Amino acid sequence: MDWLSTGIAVFDSGVRLAVPLLFACLAGLWSERSGVVDIGLEGKMLVAAFAGAAAAHATGNAWAGLGAGILVSTAFALVHGFAAISQRGNQIVSGVAVNMLAVGLTALVGNAWYKQGGRTPPLEGAARFEPITLPGADAIRGVPIVGPLYADVISGHTVLVYIAVLATVLTAWVLARTRFGLRLRAVGENPAAVDTAGISVMGLRYTAVVLAGVLCGLGGAYLSVAQAAGFLTQMTAGKGFIALAALIFAKWRAWPALATCLLFGLLDAVSIRLQGVVVPGIGQVPVQAIQALPYALTVVLLAGFIGRAIPPRASGLPYVKER
Amino acid sequence: MRSWVIGIAAAVGFGGMAAAQEVKPAIVYDLGGKFDKSFNEGVYNGAEQFKKSTGVDYRDFEIQNDAQREQALRRFARDGFSPIVAVGFSQASAVEKVAKEFPNVKFTIIDMVVDAPNVQSVVFKEQEGSFLVGLLAAKASKTGKVGFVGGMDIPLIRRFACGYVQGVKYANGSAEVFQNMTGTTGAAWNDPVKGGELAKAQIDRGADVVYHAAGGTGIGVLRAAADAGKLGIGVDSNQNGLHPGKVLTSMLKRVDTATITSFTQAKEGKWKAGVTVLGLAESGVGYALDDNNKALITPDMKAAVDKAAADIVSGGIKVHDYMSDQKCPG
C-alpha cells in the first residue's frame, strides 16, 4: 500500500477523531470568552451521548437523538450557569459537580432502563448517522491527489462532521464581526465596562453558557450516535479535558481551535495506524511508545511553540455589580 | 485490630458454612462489564443457566475501577458468599489477598492461576481455539491478509494472537497478519471507538477478516468490519448473532461452563482447589457454528477445521503457547 493512500486513510480517521474535540473546544471557547470557566465539558458531552443514544434507540431516528442530546446538555449547562452566574459560585466546583453528576447519572439511569450495565442497546440503521457522500466525490476520485483527497478525506463523513466545521466558521465570524460577539468578548475581559454601557452581563453570560451546552450536545451525540453505535459508560474518556487543553493551545480563538483539534485527532489516528508497522531503521515500534506519542508531542508543542496563552481577563470571576 | 477483624470474619465464615448446605455463589466481573457480549457475558450466561436449572440465586458485582476488586471480593466473602467467581486475570492479586483472609471461602478465578488452598484456578488454552479461527480466517480471506485486534497488551492476549497467527499460517503460509493492541490499561477493554478505528486501519491495509480478543472494545471491531462489508471473528461468547452473515465465526471460550462447573461442584460438595486447564480436548475452547454463519463456512472449510481440531487433540498439531516462553514462532 503506497504512502498516498496511507496518508489519506490517516487523515480520514483523524477527522473522525477530531470532531468531538472540536465541538467541546468550541463550547469551551464560547463559555470562557464570556468569562465562565467550564471544566464541565466532559460531563455535558457524556449526558448528551447518553440522551442521544437513548432517544435514538427509542425513536429509531438519529435526529431525535441529536435533539435529545442537545436538550439534556443544555439543561446541564443551565445548572452550571445558575451556579456560576446567578449564584456567583465557584465555577470550577460547579464544573466538577457537573462532571461527577454526569458519570453517575448516566450509568444509573442507563442500568435502570436497559439493564445492560449502563450501556444502551446498539443502534442500527436510521438510528445512526450514516456517512454521506458529497456531490461529485465519485466523479473526481480519479483525479490524482485532489481526487482521493476530496473523495475520502472531505467527503464520506457523517453530517455532524460538516456541522462541526460550520460551527467553527460561525463562531469565528460571530465573535469577530458582530455586535453580539464584541459584547460577549468584552464581558469576558471587563464585565464592569459592559455593565456601565447598559448591557446585561448575566444575559450575555447565560447566552454563552447555553451555546456551550448546545455544542457539547452536538459533540456528545456525535460520540454515541455517529462514531459509535450506542452509549457506553464513560465513553467520553477525557475528551472534554483534552478539548480544554486544545482551547489553551488555540489561545481561545476559533480557527486555531479547529487546527489544534485536527492536530490532536491526527496524532490519535497516527498512533492507531503506526501500531505494528515496521519503521525503517528502527523495526517495530512498541505499542506503548506509539500510544504515548500524542501526549509527548502535545507537551513539546505546548511548552515550546505556542508561547504565552493569555485567557480572557475576567474568566473564572463571577461578576458582582456592587461592592 | 487486624486479627480481630479476621477472627470475626472467620467466625462468620464458619457460621455461613454450618447454616448453608446450599451454596451462596457470587461473581465479581472484570472491567469490560457484565454485558460486554463477550468474556464477562459468558460468565453471566453460565450463572443464569445455573440459576435456572437449580433455582439457586447468586449475587454479582461489576467493578468500575481497579480498586474495587478487593473491596468487592472481601464484601462478598464477609457476607458469607461461597464460591466467589473472580472473572479475569487482573483479579489475581486481589483474590490472593482476600483468599488468605477468608480461608473458608471458596474462590474460583478465571484466566489466571492463584496458588492458595482455597482457590480454584481455571485457565484456557486460548491458543488452540484461536488456531482454529485463524485457519478459518485464512480460508475465508480473499486478499490473503487478515487482522487481529487485541484489548489490553498482556501476555494472555498475545497468546490469542499467537495461536491465531499459527492457524492462519497453517492454512496459508504466505498470508499476512496485521496485529494491533488497543491499549495498555484496563480501559482498553471498553473502547469500541478505538477498536473500530483499529479495524478500519487494518481493512485499509487490505485485511478482509478481523479477529478480536478485546472484550467490549470488540463490539466496535465487529461493527467496523460489518460496516465495511468484511468479516469479523468474535471471541469468548458466541458473537455470530451480533451482525448475522458478517461474523465469520467466534472463538468460544467456555467461561460459562467453567462458572456452572464451579457452582455445581460447590453445591454437590465436590468443589476442589487447584488448577484446571481447559483446551480443545476438554471442549473448553472451540469455534462457533450456528444459523448466522452457516453460509460463510463452506463444507471444505469445515472439514479442514475439524481435521485440525482432531489433530490438535491427538497431538498431531502442536500449537505453541505464547505464555510458555513469551515468544511467538514466525
Side-chain angles (χ1 to χ4, degrees):
Chain A
M1 151 172 244
D2 59 298
W3 281 104
L4 179 68
S5 52
T6 310
I8 282 182
V10 169
F11 273 101
D12 188 31
S13 157
V15 169
R16 283 197 298 268
L17 292 166
V19 167
L21 294 180
L22 180 57
F23 276 125
C25 191
L26 290 174
L29 192 149
W30 277 101
S31 188
E32 300 210 355
R33 270 301 175 99
S34 80
V36 182
V37 169
D38 193 354
I39 63 164
L41 298 172
E42 174 90 359
K44 288 201 281 278
M45 282 216 287
L46 194 62
V47 288
F50 175 74
H57 176 256
T59 60
N61 185 335
W63 290 100
L66 180 64
I70 291 175
L71 270 182
V72 174
S73 163
T74 309
F76 268 66
L78 283 173
V79 171
H80 178 56
F82 179 72
I85 304 168
S86 300
Q87 298 302 316
R88 302 185 194 119
N90 186 311
Q91 301 174 357
I92 302 289
V93 173
S94 160
V96 170
V98 165
N99 285 339
M100 295 198 322
L101 188 64
V103 171
L105 204 61
T106 49
L108 182 76
V109 176
N111 209 7
W113 283 358
Y114 302 108
K115 307 256 184 300
Q116 299 200 0
R119 283 156 209 253
T120 61
L123 304 174
E124 303 289 345
R128 271 176 89 203
F129 286 105
E130 298 287 343
I132 50 176
T133 307
L134 292 188
D138 291 322
I140 71 160
R141 188 183 288 272
V143 181
I145 301 179
V146 183
L149 205 63
Y150 178 75
D152 290 328
V153 178
I154 297 179
S155 169
H157 292 289
T158 61
V159 64
L160 289 179
V161 174
Y162 305 108
I163 293 179
V165 177
L166 195 68
T168 313
V169 176
L170 278 177
T171 301
W173 180 75
V174 169
L175 278 180
R177 304 262 173 236
T178 65
R179 179 184 295 182
F180 167 69
L182 178 69
R183 287 173 176 175
L184 192 109
R185 280 183 291 140
V187 92
E189 299 289 341
N190 190 346
V194 178
D195 201 18
T196 315
I199 303 158
S200 165
V201 173
M202 268 172 97
L204 277 168
R205 286 192 169 174
Y206 264 110
T207 315
V209 165
V210 165
L211 282 170
V214 170
L215 286 163
C216 280
L218 285 159
Y222 174 82
L223 283 176
S224 66
V225 186
Q227 197 174 21
F231 176 82
L232 280 173
T233 46
Q234 302 194 29
M235 78 183 301
T236 42
K239 291 191 176 63
F241 295 107
I242 298 174
L244 279 181
L247 183 61
I248 297 168
F249 209 104
K251 299 184 181 176
W252 293 267
R253 286 177 318 213
W255 289 111
L258 175 67
T260 311
C261 290
L262 278 176
L263 176 71
F264 281 20
L266 201 64
L267 285 177
D268 213 3
V270 168
S271 80
I272 288 173
R273 305 269 154 163
L274 266 188
Q275 248 193 61
V277 172
V278 177
V279 177
I282 306 174
Q284 192 169 334
V285 186
V287 181
Q288 289 83 350
I290 294 293
Q291 282 173 341
L293 188 71
Y295 303 99
L297 259 174
T298 305
V299 170
V300 169
L301 287 175
L302 268 175
F305 290 94
I306 64 155
R308 252 186 95 186
I310 303 163
R313 193 171 301 144
S315 81
L317 303 174
Y319 178 61
V320 186
K321 210 172 201 156
E322 287 143 19
R323 299 198 178 259
Chain B
M1 174 67 192
R2 194 181 153 78
S3 61
W4 177 77
V5 171
I6 294 174
I8 295 273
V12 170
F14 281 124
M17 283 245 296
Q21 277 303 328
E22 59 224 57
V23 285
K24 265 175 88 181
I27 301 171
V28 179
Y29 294 105
D30 205 353
L31 279 172
K34 180 157 72 171
F35 295 101
D36 59 359
K37 306 266 178 241
S38 179
F39 180 55
N40 292 289
E41 193 159 338
V43 175
Y44 167 74
N45 291 336
E48 283 292 309
Q49 215 173 313
F50 175 78
K51 184 171 152 186
K52 207 183 270 170
S53 63
T54 62
V56 177
D57 205 0
Y58 66 98
R59 283 270 297 280
D60 58 0
F61 186 75
E62 290 179 80
I63 56 162
Q64 302 295 333
N65 58 58
D66 288 309
Q68 289 180 335
R69 296 179 202 284
E70 224 179 285
Q71 290 170 12
L73 287 170
R74 192 171 286 133
R75 212 187 54 219
F76 279 143
R78 193 177 295 149
D79 292 350
F81 285 93
S82 181
I84 300 172
V85 174
V87 186
F89 71 97
S90 25
Q91 315 251 32
S93 60
V95 167
E96 203 170 349
K97 208 164 157 192
V98 179
K100 217 174 275 171
E101 293 171 24
F102 298 90
N104 297 306
V105 175
K106 304 178 179 82
F107 292 89
T108 298
I109 183 163
I110 294 176
D111 259 11
M112 195 73 185
V113 173
V114 172
D115 189 17
N118 56 332
V119 178
Q120 184 182 60
S121 311
V122 184
V123 290
F124 293 85
K125 291 183 181 164
E126 289 90 356
Q127 69 273 22
E128 296 184 351
S130 298
F131 183 96
L132 298 184
V133 297
L135 186 150
L136 288 172
K139 294 241 178 229
S141 170
K142 293 184 183 70
T143 56
K145 291 173 184 164
V146 296
F148 171 82
V149 176
M152 189 173 167
D153 190 5
I154 48 166
L156 176 71
I157 296 302
R158 298 244 165 205
R159 179 198 258 174
F160 279 88
C162 187
Y164 179 67
V165 172
Q166 291 173 68
V168 171
K169 301 276 185 198
Y170 178 79
N172 177 2
S174 60
E176 205 178 333
V177 186
F178 306 123
Q179 292 184 42
N180 288 124
M181 297 290 173
T182 310
T184 48
T185 61
W189 301 118
N190 209 357
D191 192 348
V193 168
K194 187 142 187 210
E197 286 293 333
L198 285 168
K200 274 181 199 148
Q202 295 181 342
I203 290 166
D204 286 343
R205 287 162 74 189
D208 58 357
V209 184
V210 183
Y211 173 39
H212 86 86
T217 302
I219 297 172
V221 174
L222 296 179
R223 172 165 296 279
D227 282 352
K230 310 291 182 196
L231 294 170
I233 298 179
V235 80
D236 296 346
S237 293
N238 183 350
Q239 300 185 315
N240 296 357
L242 286 182
H243 304 280
K246 299 283 183 199
V247 179
L248 177 64
T249 180
S250 300
M251 199 289 269
L252 297 177
K253 181 168 152 185
R254 303 313 299 259
V255 286
D256 49 347
T257 321
T259 310
I260 297 174
T261 311
S262 164
F263 285 4
T264 314
Q265 285 175 345
K267 187 165 178 286
E268 294 167 354
K270 290 183 192 149
W271 191 94
K272 270 206 291 290
V275 182
T276 316
V277 183
L278 301 176
L280 264 180
E282 297 83 13
S283 303
V285 294
Y287 73 99
L289 183 63
D290 59 16
D291 285 348
N292 293 315
N293 68 340
K294 217 164 44 188
L296 299 169
I297 309 277
T298 60
D300 171 47
M301 284 159 76
K302 182 159 173 11
V305 73
D306 286 343
K307 182 173 178 303
D311 283 351
I312 291 173
V313 171
S314 69
I317 298 178
K318 291 239 182 311
V319 185
H320 179 76
D321 176 9
Y322 177 84
M323 285 168 87
S324 63
D325 62 354
Q326 312 287 316
K327 275 196 201 82
C328 194

